Amino acid sequence: MMGVTFAAVPPMMVMVSNPGIGLRGMFGAIIAAGLITLLLAPLVGRMIKLFPPVVTGTVITVTGLNLIPVGVNWVAGRGPNAGDPVNLGITALVLFSIIAINKYARGFLRNIAVLLGIVIGFVVAALLGRVVIRMDVFIRGLPASKLS
């Protein structure tokens, strides 16, 4: 399931970097894709019998193997902070949090283990001063003075 979300990242980055499309265009495309998905969901639900476990398992495995470089780049970081032990420690904390929640929690908490791991990592990173939120970087063409 995570591979599907990551597959959309490169086109979204291209849309955001294009001044003619930008962030608003990307959000519009996401909303349109969601509506199309809602319309096609019943059809796909009926087609599920055409995809035996060997097919779905192979597709998920290949997707996961293709995402390994993305994960390694995100863990190691980029630029002068690449391989920083603090960043690697936060990554390890997120990973072990997800594993621990998956192993020891039940029900709803277990279902949101990845989300909880990300939140734990974000809080620790924020406490360590590793989080910088600048909305003017994300909203292109909008002066920072109009964001407050």
Side-chain angles (χ1 to χ4, degrees):
M1 183 138 124
M2 293 290 290
V4 173
T5 57
F6 278 108
V9 171
M12 287 190 295
M13 304 262 302
V14 169
M15 282 191 271
V16 169
S17 64
N18 182 338
I21 299 173
L23 194 60
R24 288 184 183 180
M26 183 194 70
F27 286 150
I30 291 170
I31 292 169
L35 293 174
I36 292 169
T37 301
L38 282 174
L39 293 173
L40 294 179
L43 176 64
V44 174
R46 285 188 223 123
M47 292 173 43
I48 200 78
K49 62 185 173 198
L50 300 174
F51 302 102
V54 70
V55 172
T56 56
T58 303
V59 168
I60 290 170
T61 301
V62 170
T63 303
L65 291 173
N66 285 325
L67 290 175
I68 288 174
V70 174
V72 170
N73 285 336
W74 283 11
V75 167
R78 292 184 207 129
N81 292 334
D84 183 8
V86 175
N87 291 345
L88 294 175
I90 293 169
T91 301
L93 173 71
V94 169
L95 177 64
F96 292 128
S97 298
I98 293 169
I99 292 170
I101 292 167
N102 225 350
K103 181 170 173 129
Y104 297 112
R106 297 192 190 280
F108 180 69
L109 286 179
R110 187 173 185 182
N111 287 339
I112 61 168
V114 173
L115 175 63
L116 292 175
I118 292 170
V119 169
I120 290 168
F122 179 82
V123 168
V124 170
L127 291 173
L128 293 173
R130 298 290 176 136
V131 177
V132 177
I133 299 175
R134 288 192 47 205
M135 292 305 295
D136 60 319
V137 172
F138 295 107
I139 302 174
R140 297 184 192 269
L142 187 62
S145 60
K146 292 189 178 183
L147 294 174
S148 53

